[in-house]
Amino acid sequence: MTQLSPAPTRRNFLRGAGLAVGLPMLESLLPRSAQAAGGTPPVRMAFVFFPNGAIMPAWKPKEAGSEYAMPDTLAALKKFRESLTVVTGLAQDNGRAKGDGPGDHARCASTYLTGEHPYKTAGADIRVGISVDQVAADRIGNRTKLPSLELGIEAGRNAGNCDSGYSCAYSANISWKSESTPMAKEVNPRLAFERLFGSGEKENRADSLAHRQFYRQSILDMVAQDAKALSGKLGSTDQRKLDEYFTSVRELEQRIERDEQSVANRPKMNLPQRTPKDRQQHIRLMYDIMTLAFQTDATRVATFMLGNAGSNRTYPMVGVNDGHHQLSHHRNDEKKMNKIQRIDHFLAEQFAYFLDKLNSVEELNGSLLDNSMIVYGSGLSDGNRHDHADLPIVVAGKAGGTLATGQHLDLGRETPLNNLFMSMLDRVGANVDKLGDSSGRLTQIDA
Amino acid sequence: MQAIRESIQNRRSRHIPIVTAFLIGTVAWLCLVASTCTARGDDTVDFQRDVEPLVNKYCADCHGESEPEAGLSLVGFTDVDSLRAKSKHWESVMKMLRGGLMPPDDSLQPTVAERRKMAASIEALLFHVDCRLESDPGRVTIRRLNRNEYNNTVRDLLKVDLRPADEFPADDVGNGFDNIGDVLSLPPLLMEKYLLAAEALAIEAIEAPETVTAPKVRRSAKELTVKGSAANRGGQVQMISTANATAEFDIQRPGEYTLRVHAGGDQAGPDPARAEVLLGDKRLKVLDVFATRDRTRDYELPVTLAKGKINVTVKFINDYYNTDADDPKLRGDRNLLLDWIEIEGPAEIRPEDRPASHRHLLIARPDKEKSVRDAAFECLRPLVRRAFRREVSDAEVAPFVKLVESATAKDESFERGMQVATVGLLVSPQFLFRVERDPDPNDPAQTHELSQYELACRLSYFIWSSMPDDRLFDLAAEGKLQDEEVLLRETRRMVQDPRADELSNNFAGQWLNLRNLDNVSPDPEQFKPFDDQLRRDMKRETLLFFNAVMRENRSVLDFVEGDFTFVSQRLAKHYDMGEADQIPGDEFQRVTLEGKRKVGVLGHASILTLTSNPTRTSPVKRGKWIMDNILGTPPPEPPPNIPELEATQEASPDATLREQLELHRSTPSCAVCHTQMDALGFGLENFDAIGRWRDKEGGKPVDAAGELPGGAKFATPTELGKVLAGKREQICRNLAEKMMTYALGRGLQYFDRCAVDLIVARMEQNDYRFNELVEGIVLSDPFRKRRGERTQP
């Protein structure tokens, strides 16, 4: 029954700017400004994480170099062979216990993109390090509507302990803005989309954009001052919390400014109101949104968690009705390994879907995939033994032709994963001297 | 005396407070399984007697004075003070010992008993606290509202029910709960959502002409009830002979509306098609519909509507059909074609028809005598006070008044200005964070009572997960809240208030891990009856049970031996209860349990399902759940790379789960923990992985018998419940620790033991009643006091 009350629509007050007409997909939606500089589109980076490691014999190519046979698990990626670099022999050493005892899953997620050792705590003093995506967002994020995009499939865990005395913040986030602030992820595709492109509802008559932005700026100005004044009266831990607030307010102010400047195109997309129950649909919608975000240059940096660390979800669509984590401790039982491999395979297929999408977007000098570098991997290799070395890592895309793709790069066992990240940061114009436990750059991937 | 105090203070100031409830739990666990139990708060442990010789024997070779391994020297310590000065180092030593990580394999190994003794002694020395001396209330980190608290607070503050926080990112959990200040962070994504939510809430709460458009409600042809010779074709009601179509509307606000009938006609005969418009039975007007089939159009009429459901009927009253008239002009077929019926309005809203939130917030308007500034102050003073949950000065209200003025300066309405000010309030740090102030925030010795308002907030967020109500505000304003009698009276009132359901939803939902039920997915092949409805009913049962224990002030031992529960028809069938059919529909009914399910929450399908694997029960998980959540004695984590169940399964593929686990326990390193964990879990083996009773598993009779370390035996779930209920002190202590963590919003530290001891004593003196638990927490020092921060060295 429709209620006849003059209730205003809720979402449209002061809502996201620029709700222009939808453009057909697959056309270049890249704003001119982004393409103009020397005619080259920007390089985008994304990091996809899957939980619980993989069945490595079915993941790791047997041969190194360009003549390798595509392993079973990655079969779905065959089509993109020439755009891929399979990198093995990378490690996240700081995921190891180092005297902290159990909790490898929490550690594997929190070190995945940071390369730092997380401080073991259930509550107070959460601390790990800044993740590679946030280093990039900090340096190049001001060029796009959103500095970075954080997506996920599983919301943070609701209750109890996550992993052996580690706060759930460690296992539910891979992106860390500061050493103590995880970047919460969006798990609802519709909300992720609206965050990028607005809700698309009509604006109210008198609620002009100018007024709206003016009020927002005044409000944020005022509360930022308020936070500063308040902070002076608090203890040092409380001050750190207020700093988080202050930083977030400042980012929001900058975003509003950028919104004002850019008249973004709002792509069309049919999205369910709630998070879809069908996992494949859910994952694909998230990949669609990442594609759109890159395509429209709404952001150049994204992270995506296919599950939280230690996730115990089932995958009934491929006949796996046991929990993922439970199965990952397979003790070399063939039946269980086979089930894990089916999960690995399913997730790789979804990743292939993403690459397909990226590949279908034309840009000036090739496809969107050619201008991207997407890391697909896990913070554990063998989930059964909680192995933090020889991680399953694929880099997809050519980063604008700067990557030597089409090969399997076998680096042995203990090269820091962060060396790869260092090389990636160079390619988006966010070079740093050191990141976590990096010991240099990964020159073997240079074209 | 003064000297003693000072020395204690010094000692404390040197200690780094990072010890959590986990450690407290570990001490208790050690007491349970080992003979080397450290008495609480006494001085039976002596460094030189209990620790030093062992350190010298097993550690000092590598960790000696010169060039020690890992830069860690363990010699040269003489007493407690010197130990505490290096508490981080010694904590790490303790962990290494417990985890079996040190000494390394190729060194001389201490015996299991020595290892335990060392760890327990170090712990006792580091975290010893004398409750006879002045207690340390600890310090709670500033907390931002979590999602539940945000939803509830805006509901109570603005009187709107939007629940915008449902779309916020999940709050991270620490120490088992999602309201821990240290863990709640504020990333930019959340700030964006705060702003959008604030804007949506302001619009919902306050009606401004700029944001309210009188809405149209249209009933399309498909939505109309059609009678007589008419058909619904191509999105149009086509009336070919006498017929009518009725639309139903639900009017929320009485007033002047515009009614529109969008119609046309197949014209024939001397007259145009005529439509009679009725409101209910009353004729409003007869329309001459001149429009044709190709060009249907709106016919408008004004109408005054009262609140409630109304029917608008359009009736075709002049059918005409003539194929053989002499005059060809008179030949033809007249029909009425109706596209939709629509109403728009009301044109003006009377003040009394504004929503409650609007009337509540807009208590003044500018007029000839009153400036915008004065009116804004009048509206905002009470609002800012309630939003900040404390007294505020005009100087603090002024910036919000300025926001109102910034809107009116742009020729926008006062109401619009109030919306903008409300947005400002809702994104202010003083609203989003629960701020507690100290006279000297960085002096840890500075212990003081919370302010009246701060205490009101602790109470309301603890019991209601929301802001204080008017009564609490009043008592705070009168300065009465720190009075113990008042505090107790208010606590009792609050527990009986419906808002206390939030304690059940948020505390019990997390304490018992109920929220994790949302994430389980039992194998659909094996467990066909399991679906989302059953999942919801399971959860509801346990929440209702918790509510009953709370509101009826029952014994907390009911959690393991309660003889009643609440079931829906669906759940009663799931439990195979005889009287299932007597329970109407979706309602829950209280039932008294007899016999086999009389085990409190341990017999709830919710708990039994969330502690199972998707394909089978997991006695280990169930046992661990009981140790974690009921007994408060979490087993230590397994050492890395121990053989799991499957290794033993390979050895004897036909063994039952119990036999397999027994094999597994034959390894001494596993037996230490699994003996108890498995026994507890097996006591519940009569319940399958979704909580149904079973007498057989895999064709073999279920064997639910077990024996705990110490000799307590049981053969059925009910007997297990009785055995557990015998562990009263442990159950009370665990609940007190868990609830105190939740109530304070911080992990417990070693010095909190004194407060917990008092709560447990209180419960023991009063039949373990639930109220003693809540009241004990409310009266405790950590709840009513705080101190400055100890800055990390």
PDB file of all heavy atoms in Angstrom, chain A residues 4 6 13-14 157 186 215 237 244-245 248 255 277, chain B residues 167 186 192-193 199 203 217 253 412 427 516 532 789:
ATOM      1  N   LEU A   4       0.102   7.915   1.691  1.00  0.00           N
ATOM      2  CA  LEU A   4      -0.068   9.240   1.130  1.00  0.00           C
ATOM      3  C   LEU A   4       0.391  10.284   2.119  1.00  0.00           C
ATOM      4  O   LEU A   4      -0.393  10.927   2.773  1.00  0.00           O
ATOM      5  CB  LEU A   4      -1.539   9.447   0.772  1.00  0.00           C
ATOM      6  CG  LEU A   4      -1.798  10.704  -0.041  1.00  0.00           C
ATOM      7  CD1 LEU A   4      -1.061  10.654  -1.342  1.00  0.00           C
ATOM      8  CD2 LEU A   4      -3.274  10.866  -0.278  1.00  0.00           C
ATOM      9  N   PRO A   6       3.300  13.495   2.580  1.00  0.00           N
ATOM     10  CA  PRO A   6       4.256  14.263   1.784  1.00  0.00           C
ATOM     11  C   PRO A   6       5.680  14.086   2.296  1.00  0.00           C
ATOM     12  O   PRO A   6       6.445  15.015   2.351  1.00  0.00           O
ATOM     13  CB  PRO A   6       3.771  15.696   1.966  1.00  0.00           C
ATOM     14  CG  PRO A   6       3.096  15.700   3.286  1.00  0.00           C
ATOM     15  CD  PRO A   6       2.582  14.320   3.532  1.00  0.00           C
ATOM     16  N   PHE A  13      18.374  14.620  -0.511  1.00  0.00           N
ATOM     17  CA  PHE A  13      18.819  15.872   0.085  1.00  0.00           C
ATOM     18  C   PHE A  13      20.327  15.943   0.019  1.00  0.00           C
ATOM     19  O   PHE A  13      21.032  15.047   0.459  1.00  0.00           O
ATOM     20  CB  PHE A  13      18.331  15.896   1.534  1.00  0.00           C
ATOM     21  CG  PHE A  13      18.722  17.120   2.311  1.00  0.00           C
ATOM     22  CD1 PHE A  13      18.387  18.381   1.891  1.00  0.00           C
ATOM     23  CD2 PHE A  13      19.439  16.984   3.491  1.00  0.00           C
ATOM     24  CE1 PHE A  13      18.729  19.484   2.639  1.00  0.00           C
ATOM     25  CE2 PHE A  13      19.778  18.093   4.246  1.00  0.00           C
ATOM     26  CZ  PHE A  13      19.432  19.354   3.815  1.00  0.00           C
ATOM     27  N   LEU A  14      20.812  16.992  -0.557  1.00  0.00           N
ATOM     28  CA  LEU A  14      22.265  17.169  -0.620  1.00  0.00           C
ATOM     29  C   LEU A  14      22.989  15.953  -1.173  1.00  0.00           C
ATOM     30  O   LEU A  14      24.041  15.561  -0.696  1.00  0.00           O
ATOM     31  CB  LEU A  14      22.852  17.473   0.768  1.00  0.00           C
ATOM     32  CG  LEU A  14      22.160  18.445   1.709  1.00  0.00           C
ATOM     33  CD1 LEU A  14      23.033  18.608   2.950  1.00  0.00           C
ATOM     34  CD2 LEU A  14      21.883  19.807   1.111  1.00  0.00           C
ATOM     35  N   ARG A 157      32.980  -9.850  10.868  1.00  0.00           N
ATOM     36  CA  ARG A 157      32.317 -10.829  11.711  1.00  0.00           C
ATOM     37  C   ARG A 157      31.600 -10.147  12.859  1.00  0.00           C
ATOM     38  O   ARG A 157      32.026  -9.106  13.341  1.00  0.00           O
ATOM     39  CB  ARG A 157      33.353 -11.802  12.249  1.00  0.00           C
ATOM     40  CG  ARG A 157      32.724 -13.016  12.852  1.00  0.00           C
ATOM     41  CD  ARG A 157      33.783 -14.013  13.253  1.00  0.00           C
ATOM     42  NE  ARG A 157      33.212 -14.923  14.214  1.00  0.00           N
ATOM     43  CZ  ARG A 157      33.579 -16.184  14.327  1.00  0.00           C
ATOM     44  NH1 ARG A 157      34.518 -16.647  13.563  1.00  0.00           N
ATOM     45  NH2 ARG A 157      33.016 -16.960  15.228  1.00  0.00           N
ATOM     46  N   GLU A 186      32.960  -1.974   1.573  1.00  0.00           N
ATOM     47  CA  GLU A 186      31.535  -1.990   1.241  1.00  0.00           C
ATOM     48  C   GLU A 186      31.197  -3.356   0.674  1.00  0.00           C
ATOM     49  O   GLU A 186      31.888  -3.843  -0.217  1.00  0.00           O
ATOM     50  CB  GLU A 186      31.251  -0.891   0.214  1.00  0.00           C
ATOM     51  CG  GLU A 186      29.804  -0.699  -0.122  1.00  0.00           C
ATOM     52  CD  GLU A 186      28.964  -0.280   1.080  1.00  0.00           C
ATOM     53  OE1 GLU A 186      28.981   0.909   1.442  1.00  0.00           O
ATOM     54  OE2 GLU A 186      28.305  -1.161   1.656  1.00  0.00           O
ATOM     55  N   TYR A 215      26.282  24.422   2.135  1.00  0.00           N
ATOM     56  CA  TYR A 215      25.948  23.954   3.491  1.00  0.00           C
ATOM     57  C   TYR A 215      26.925  22.888   3.943  1.00  0.00           C
ATOM     58  O   TYR A 215      27.371  22.862   5.083  1.00  0.00           O
ATOM     59  CB  TYR A 215      24.528  23.384   3.527  1.00  0.00           C
ATOM     60  CG  TYR A 215      23.441  24.412   3.316  1.00  0.00           C
ATOM     61  CD1 TYR A 215      22.332  24.127   2.545  1.00  0.00           C
ATOM     62  CD2 TYR A 215      23.530  25.678   3.907  1.00  0.00           C
ATOM     63  CE1 TYR A 215      21.333  25.058   2.352  1.00  0.00           C
ATOM     64  CE2 TYR A 215      22.527  26.619   3.714  1.00  0.00           C
ATOM     65  CZ  TYR A 215      21.425  26.309   2.932  1.00  0.00           C
ATOM     66  OH  TYR A 215      20.449  27.231   2.747  1.00  0.00           O
ATOM     67  N   THR A 237      45.334   8.769  23.608  1.00  0.00           N
ATOM     68  CA  THR A 237      44.642   7.755  22.799  1.00  0.00           C
ATOM     69  C   THR A 237      43.367   8.336  22.207  1.00  0.00           C
ATOM     70  O   THR A 237      43.054   8.129  21.036  1.00  0.00           O
ATOM     71  CB  THR A 237      44.277   6.524  23.663  1.00  0.00           C
ATOM     72  OG1 THR A 237      45.453   6.058  24.304  1.00  0.00           O
ATOM     73  CG2 THR A 237      43.700   5.418  22.810  1.00  0.00           C
ATOM     74  N   GLU A 244      41.505  10.540  13.566  1.00  0.00           N
ATOM     75  CA  GLU A 244      40.839   9.763  12.511  1.00  0.00           C
ATOM     76  C   GLU A 244      39.630  10.540  12.001  1.00  0.00           C
ATOM     77  O   GLU A 244      39.391  10.639  10.802  1.00  0.00           O
ATOM     78  CB  GLU A 244      40.322   8.430  13.062  1.00  0.00           C
ATOM     79  CG  GLU A 244      41.327   7.331  13.089  1.00  0.00           C
ATOM     80  CD  GLU A 244      40.728   6.054  13.680  1.00  0.00           C
ATOM     81  OE1 GLU A 244      39.496   5.895  13.713  1.00  0.00           O
ATOM     82  OE2 GLU A 244      41.534   5.201  14.111  1.00  0.00           O
ATOM     83  N   TYR A 245      38.878  11.056  12.942  1.00  0.00           N
ATOM     84  CA  TYR A 245      37.685  11.836  12.584  1.00  0.00           C
ATOM     85  C   TYR A 245      38.090  13.022  11.724  1.00  0.00           C
ATOM     86  O   TYR A 245      37.528  13.269  10.659  1.00  0.00           O
ATOM     87  CB  TYR A 245      36.984  12.289  13.867  1.00  0.00           C
ATOM     88  CG  TYR A 245      35.847  13.252  13.642  1.00  0.00           C
ATOM     89  CD1 TYR A 245      34.553  12.791  13.456  1.00  0.00           C
ATOM     90  CD2 TYR A 245      36.065  14.624  13.610  1.00  0.00           C
ATOM     91  CE1 TYR A 245      33.507  13.670  13.248  1.00  0.00           C
ATOM     92  CE2 TYR A 245      35.027  15.506  13.394  1.00  0.00           C
ATOM     93  CZ  TYR A 245      33.747  15.030  13.218  1.00  0.00           C
ATOM     94  OH  TYR A 245      32.718  15.913  12.999  1.00  0.00           O
ATOM     95  N   SER A 248      39.171  12.097   8.235  1.00  0.00           N
ATOM     96  CA  SER A 248      38.035  11.698   7.405  1.00  0.00           C
ATOM     97  C   SER A 248      37.195  12.900   6.990  1.00  0.00           C
ATOM     98  O   SER A 248      36.704  12.959   5.866  1.00  0.00           O
ATOM     99  CB  SER A 248      37.162  10.681   8.143  1.00  0.00           C
ATOM    100  OG  SER A 248      37.862   9.477   8.312  1.00  0.00           O
ATOM    101  N   ARG A 255      36.655  15.720  -1.235  1.00  0.00           N
ATOM    102  CA  ARG A 255      35.838  14.998  -2.197  1.00  0.00           C
ATOM    103  C   ARG A 255      34.701  15.889  -2.698  1.00  0.00           C
ATOM    104  O   ARG A 255      34.360  15.884  -3.873  1.00  0.00           O
ATOM    105  CB  ARG A 255      35.261  13.740  -1.557  1.00  0.00           C
ATOM    106  CG  ARG A 255      34.439  13.020  -2.553  1.00  0.00           C
ATOM    107  CD  ARG A 255      33.946  11.679  -2.233  1.00  0.00           C
ATOM    108  NE  ARG A 255      33.107  11.320  -3.373  1.00  0.00           N
ATOM    109  CZ  ARG A 255      32.264  10.323  -3.397  1.00  0.00           C
ATOM    110  NH1 ARG A 255      32.149   9.559  -2.365  1.00  0.00           N
ATOM    111  NH2 ARG A 255      31.537  10.099  -4.455  1.00  0.00           N
ATOM    112  N   LYS A 277      22.129 -12.975  -2.590  1.00  0.00           N
ATOM    113  CA  LYS A 277      22.462 -14.236  -1.920  1.00  0.00           C
ATOM    114  C   LYS A 277      23.328 -15.108  -2.830  1.00  0.00           C
ATOM    115  O   LYS A 277      24.133 -15.890  -2.349  1.00  0.00           O
ATOM    116  CB  LYS A 277      21.182 -14.989  -1.561  1.00  0.00           C
ATOM    117  CG  LYS A 277      20.462 -14.348  -0.399  1.00  0.00           C
ATOM    118  CD  LYS A 277      19.950 -15.394   0.559  1.00  0.00           C
ATOM    119  CE  LYS A 277      19.782 -14.776   1.934  1.00  0.00           C
ATOM    120  NZ  LYS A 277      19.217 -15.665   2.906  1.00  0.00           N
TER     121      LYS A 277
ATOM    122  N   GLU B 167      23.176   0.712   6.749  1.00  0.00           N
ATOM    123  CA  GLU B 167      24.004   0.773   5.544  1.00  0.00           C
ATOM    124  C   GLU B 167      25.438   1.217   5.839  1.00  0.00           C
ATOM    125  O   GLU B 167      26.206   1.475   4.927  1.00  0.00           O
ATOM    126  CB  GLU B 167      23.358   1.701   4.511  1.00  0.00           C
ATOM    127  CG  GLU B 167      22.021   1.162   4.056  1.00  0.00           C
ATOM    128  CD  GLU B 167      21.457   1.834   2.815  1.00  0.00           C
ATOM    129  OE1 GLU B 167      21.937   2.933   2.469  1.00  0.00           O
ATOM    130  OE2 GLU B 167      20.549   1.266   2.207  1.00  0.00           O
ATOM    131  N   LEU B 186      37.224   5.160  12.360  1.00  0.00           N
ATOM    132  CA  LEU B 186      36.360   6.040  11.581  1.00  0.00           C
ATOM    133  C   LEU B 186      37.010   6.355  10.233  1.00  0.00           C
ATOM    134  O   LEU B 186      37.582   7.419  10.037  1.00  0.00           O
ATOM    135  CB  LEU B 186      36.093   7.335  12.374  1.00  0.00           C
ATOM    136  CG  LEU B 186      34.794   8.067  12.089  1.00  0.00           C
ATOM    137  CD1 LEU B 186      34.516   9.133  13.120  1.00  0.00           C
ATOM    138  CD2 LEU B 186      34.733   8.641  10.705  1.00  0.00           C
ATOM    139  N   GLU B 192      31.591   9.707   5.161  1.00  0.00           N
ATOM    140  CA  GLU B 192      30.665   9.986   4.052  1.00  0.00           C
ATOM    141  C   GLU B 192      29.263   9.528   4.410  1.00  0.00           C
ATOM    142  O   GLU B 192      28.282  10.222   4.163  1.00  0.00           O
ATOM    143  CB  GLU B 192      31.091   9.191   2.815  1.00  0.00           C
ATOM    144  CG  GLU B 192      31.934   9.965   1.849  1.00  0.00           C
ATOM    145  CD  GLU B 192      32.375   9.067   0.692  1.00  0.00           C
ATOM    146  OE1 GLU B 192      31.521   8.390   0.092  1.00  0.00           O
ATOM    147  OE2 GLU B 192      33.584   9.051   0.412  1.00  0.00           O
ATOM    148  N   LYS B 193      29.207   8.328   4.987  1.00  0.00           N
ATOM    149  CA  LYS B 193      27.888   7.775   5.319  1.00  0.00           C
ATOM    150  C   LYS B 193      27.234   8.579   6.441  1.00  0.00           C
ATOM    151  O   LYS B 193      26.020   8.738   6.457  1.00  0.00           O
ATOM    152  CB  LYS B 193      28.013   6.310   5.708  1.00  0.00           C
ATOM    153  CG  LYS B 193      28.621   5.515   4.582  1.00  0.00           C
ATOM    154  CD  LYS B 193      27.967   4.170   4.405  1.00  0.00           C
ATOM    155  CE  LYS B 193      28.469   3.561   3.102  1.00  0.00           C
ATOM    156  NZ  LYS B 193      27.616   2.522   2.583  1.00  0.00           N
ATOM    157  N   GLU B 199      21.895  13.980   6.552  1.00  0.00           N
ATOM    158  CA  GLU B 199      21.040  14.731   5.630  1.00  0.00           C
ATOM    159  C   GLU B 199      19.675  14.063   5.478  1.00  0.00           C
ATOM    160  O   GLU B 199      18.637  14.730   5.492  1.00  0.00           O
ATOM    161  CB  GLU B 199      21.750  14.849   4.273  1.00  0.00           C
ATOM    162  CG  GLU B 199      22.964  15.773   4.363  1.00  0.00           C
ATOM    163  CD  GLU B 199      23.872  15.716   3.139  1.00  0.00           C
ATOM    164  OE1 GLU B 199      23.709  14.813   2.296  1.00  0.00           O
ATOM    165  OE2 GLU B 199      24.745  16.589   3.027  1.00  0.00           O
ATOM    166  N   ILE B 203      15.976  15.704   6.868  1.00  0.00           N
ATOM    167  CA  ILE B 203      14.813  15.849   5.983  1.00  0.00           C
ATOM    168  C   ILE B 203      13.626  15.069   6.511  1.00  0.00           C
ATOM    169  O   ILE B 203      12.484  15.500   6.413  1.00  0.00           O
ATOM    170  CB  ILE B 203      15.172  15.320   4.581  1.00  0.00           C
ATOM    171  CG1 ILE B 203      16.043  16.328   3.871  1.00  0.00           C
ATOM    172  CG2 ILE B 203      13.927  15.040   3.794  1.00  0.00           C
ATOM    173  CD1 ILE B 203      15.857  16.323   2.397  1.00  0.00           C
ATOM    174  N   VAL B 217      -0.062  10.564  -5.719  1.00  0.00           N
ATOM    175  CA  VAL B 217      -0.172   9.115  -5.657  1.00  0.00           C
ATOM    176  C   VAL B 217      -1.102   8.703  -6.765  1.00  0.00           C
ATOM    177  O   VAL B 217      -2.234   9.172  -6.863  1.00  0.00           O
ATOM    178  CB  VAL B 217      -0.720   8.645  -4.298  1.00  0.00           C
ATOM    179  CG1 VAL B 217      -0.844   7.121  -4.298  1.00  0.00           C
ATOM    180  CG2 VAL B 217       0.193   9.099  -3.181  1.00  0.00           C
ATOM    181  N   ARG B 253      -2.592  12.563   5.899  1.00  0.00           N
ATOM    182  CA  ARG B 253      -2.815  13.926   6.377  1.00  0.00           C
ATOM    183  C   ARG B 253      -4.079  14.507   5.794  1.00  0.00           C
ATOM    184  O   ARG B 253      -4.213  14.614   4.581  1.00  0.00           O
ATOM    185  CB  ARG B 253      -1.654  14.798   5.944  1.00  0.00           C
ATOM    186  CG  ARG B 253      -0.429  14.418   6.690  1.00  0.00           C
ATOM    187  CD  ARG B 253       0.640  15.347   6.322  1.00  0.00           C
ATOM    188  NE  ARG B 253       1.802  15.026   7.112  1.00  0.00           N
ATOM    189  CZ  ARG B 253       2.976  15.527   6.892  1.00  0.00           C
ATOM    190  NH1 ARG B 253       3.141  16.387   5.918  1.00  0.00           N
ATOM    191  NH2 ARG B 253       3.981  15.200   7.655  1.00  0.00           N
ATOM    192  N   GLU B 412      16.213  31.087   2.277  1.00  0.00           N
ATOM    193  CA  GLU B 412      15.560  29.802   2.467  1.00  0.00           C
ATOM    194  C   GLU B 412      14.805  29.864   3.806  1.00  0.00           C
ATOM    195  O   GLU B 412      15.014  30.757   4.621  1.00  0.00           O
ATOM    196  CB  GLU B 412      16.585  28.670   2.443  1.00  0.00           C
ATOM    197  CG  GLU B 412      17.304  28.592   1.091  1.00  0.00           C
ATOM    198  CD  GLU B 412      17.648  27.173   0.667  1.00  0.00           C
ATOM    199  OE1 GLU B 412      18.702  26.662   1.029  1.00  0.00           O
ATOM    200  OE2 GLU B 412      16.815  26.592  -0.052  1.00  0.00           O
ATOM    201  N   VAL B 427      26.741  15.219  12.539  1.00  0.00           N
ATOM    202  CA  VAL B 427      28.100  14.837  12.142  1.00  0.00           C
ATOM    203  C   VAL B 427      29.141  15.420  13.096  1.00  0.00           C
ATOM    204  O   VAL B 427      30.340  15.270  12.887  1.00  0.00           O
ATOM    205  CB  VAL B 427      28.448  15.236  10.680  1.00  0.00           C
ATOM    206  CG1 VAL B 427      27.570  14.489   9.708  1.00  0.00           C
ATOM    207  CG2 VAL B 427      28.328  16.737  10.469  1.00  0.00           C
ATOM    208  N   ASN B 516      26.604 -15.002  14.897  1.00  0.00           N
ATOM    209  CA  ASN B 516      27.302 -15.816  13.907  1.00  0.00           C
ATOM    210  C   ASN B 516      26.383 -16.826  13.232  1.00  0.00           C
ATOM    211  O   ASN B 516      26.743 -17.428  12.231  1.00  0.00           O
ATOM    212  CB  ASN B 516      28.489 -16.538  14.545  1.00  0.00           C
ATOM    213  CG  ASN B 516      29.573 -15.559  14.953  1.00  0.00           C
ATOM    214  OD1 ASN B 516      29.587 -14.421  14.487  1.00  0.00           O
ATOM    215  ND2 ASN B 516      30.465 -15.979  15.825  1.00  0.00           N
ATOM    216  N   ASP B 532      15.966 -19.910   6.111  1.00  0.00           N
ATOM    217  CA  ASP B 532      16.135 -18.636   6.808  1.00  0.00           C
ATOM    218  C   ASP B 532      15.101 -18.417   7.905  1.00  0.00           C
ATOM    219  O   ASP B 532      15.371 -17.786   8.914  1.00  0.00           O
ATOM    220  CB  ASP B 532      16.115 -17.472   5.817  1.00  0.00           C
ATOM    221  CG  ASP B 532      17.433 -17.373   5.061  1.00  0.00           C
ATOM    222  OD1 ASP B 532      18.408 -18.026   5.510  1.00  0.00           O
ATOM    223  OD2 ASP B 532      17.492 -16.685   4.044  1.00  0.00           O
ATOM    224  N   GLU B 789      45.144   9.056  31.496  1.00  0.00           N
ATOM    225  CA  GLU B 789      45.795   8.026  30.696  1.00  0.00           C
ATOM    226  C   GLU B 789      47.261   7.860  31.073  1.00  0.00           C
ATOM    227  O   GLU B 789      47.960   8.817  31.373  1.00  0.00           O
ATOM    228  CB  GLU B 789      45.709   8.390  29.215  1.00  0.00           C
ATOM    229  CG  GLU B 789      46.354   7.350  28.330  1.00  0.00           C
ATOM    230  CD  GLU B 789      45.932   7.495  26.887  1.00  0.00           C
ATOM    231  OE1 GLU B 789      45.207   8.456  26.582  1.00  0.00           O
ATOM    232  OE2 GLU B 789      46.334   6.646  26.076  1.00  0.00           O
TER     233      GLU B 789
END
